[in-house]
Amino acid sequence: MFTIENQLLKAVIQAKGAELTSLVDKSTGLEYIWNGDPAFWAKHSPVLFPIVGQLKSNTYIHNGQSYQLPRHGFARERQFVVEEQQADSITFLLSDDEETKNVYPFSFEFRIKYTVVDNALAVAYEVKNLGEDDMYFSIGAHPAFKVPLENGLNYTDYYLAFDKTETAPRWIVSPDGLIENSSQPLLNNSSKLPLTKELFYKDAVVFKNLASSTISLKSDSASHGLKLFFPGFPFMGIWAAKNADFVCIEPWCGIADSVGTSQQLSQKEGINRLQTGEDFNRTWTVTIF
């Protein structure tokens, strides 16, 4: 485990998956990250790369060859190397190797930098194509925030507040994890999504192209919450394991396969393409209060 901190905030990250496991307000001792109880969901904040969500039959096709990847890709199960560390920041590196090439035929460097600034944690992703051909990938965050944050409150005391008024449907996730062609109305000229555990009984709430770039976790009965800022992420997943005391707010550059996918990686919805030598950079930030 690796710790970064300043006077206000302490974050703990593990090398496996370069996964954030703790985010604590030092003035109150309040923990914001889910504890990873394996009875519900044993992770805290996995990083999704080189795919987000589920592939149809766990399979994609590139240059006429089929490859298999599990849901959300392999990065969350790999050991990252610490490339640089200071008191308030740390950079992890994952590079391609023989094992990754068997399932993902690209040469790459993937860096994740965590930085604490005042009462905020910034998480920066950098993907670099080291190969001679175009590289195709998706990337996403999956942080699980504890709900309720404070003792004496209930899950349903909390809601998600969007910084823009949204009219946004919920894209349906099929039983095998694919995105259906149909959607259901959810946000209708609203900036507020009340939290209930039943909301996630049929998998994640998936949004495409929200107007908002900030989602806050709040309660009118509490003084503490958080605000997640996600510019440049066109997809958003909201999820919790069944009846678990957390909510994931997941900014994605990528999305699960649609039910009608051709399985061609280059044609996948939301796929990112990098030419040789190019970099891809995105940052999300969580501010606690």
Side-chain angles (χ1 to χ4, degrees), residues 125-142:
Y125 301 141
E126 179 193 50
V127 181
K128 181 176 287 188
N129 180 7
L130 302 182
E132 297 180 354
D133 301 317
D134 289 352
M135 174 183 172
Y136 296 93
F137 70 96
S138 299
I139 192 167
H142 203 313

Side-chain angles (χ1 to χ4, degrees), residues 208-221:
K208 299 181 183 183
N209 299 308
L210 289 170
S212 299
S213 58
T214 298
I215 297 176
S216 299
L217 174 65
K218 294 181 175 182
S219 170
D220 294 336
S221 304

Side-chain angles (χ1 to χ4, degrees), residues 68-223:
Q68 281 70 49
L69 281 174
R71 179 177 292 205
H72 295 321
F74 53 69
R76 60 183 182 159
E77 302 297 339
R78 297 299 303 268
Q79 291 289 326
F80 282 66
V81 174
V82 176
E83 192 174 51
E84 183 179 355
Q85 184 176 11
Q86 299 178 353
D88 60 357
S89 68
I90 188 168
T91 303
F92 292 89
L93 171 65
L94 179 67
S95 302
D96 65 277
D97 57 22
E98 184 176 347
E99 186 177 346
T100 67
K101 284 288 185 67
N102 287 334
V103 295
Y104 184 68
F106 301 99
S107 297
F108 66 88
E109 288 180 340
F110 175 30
R111 289 177 173 84
I112 306 174
K113 183 176 183 180
Y114 293 90
T115 307
V116 288
V117 182
D118 297 328
N119 61 330
L121 173 70
V123 184
Y125 301 141
E126 179 193 50
V127 181
K128 181 176 287 188
N129 180 7
L130 302 182
E132 297 180 354
D133 301 317
D134 289 352
M135 174 183 172
Y136 296 93
F137 70 96
S138 299
I139 192 167
H142 203 313
F145 301 107
K146 188 174 68 170
V147 181
L149 284 168
E150 302 174 54
N151 293 331
L153 294 177
N154 298 312
Y155 197 88
T156 51
D157 291 326
Y158 287 81
Y159 60 91
L160 299 181
F162 298 74
D163 70 304
K164 301 283 178 63
T165 300
E166 300 281 357
T167 297
R170 172 183 187 167
W171 288 91
I172 305 303
V173 180
S174 74
D176 49 358
L178 306 181
I179 303 299
E180 298 276 12
N181 295 325
S182 59
S183 61
Q184 291 179 344
L186 186 59
L187 295 175
N188 184 14
N189 196 32
S190 174
S191 60
K192 183 176 180 179
L193 179 63
L195 288 183
T196 67
K197 292 184 175 178
E198 291 80 7
L199 186 64
F200 309 111
Y201 280 2
K202 293 185 178 180
D203 213 314
V205 173
V206 176
F207 294 115
K208 299 181 183 183
N209 299 308
L210 289 170
S212 299
S213 58
T214 298
I215 297 176
S216 299
L217 174 65
K218 294 181 175 182
S219 170
D220 294 336
S221 304
S223 56

Side-chain angles (χ1 to χ4, degrees), residues 25-64:
D25 181 339
K26 293 173 69 172
S27 66
T28 63
L30 190 64
E31 173 67 72
Y32 282 75
I33 298 297
W34 161 249
N35 62 15
D37 182 350
F40 295 92
W41 189 57
K43 295 188 178 294
H44 311 271
S45 181
V47 177
L48 317 181
F49 176 87
I51 59 167
V52 168
Q54 186 75 39
L55 295 173
K56 186 175 184 178
S57 303
N58 291 319
T59 300
Y60 70 90
I61 300 168
H62 181 66
N63 287 343

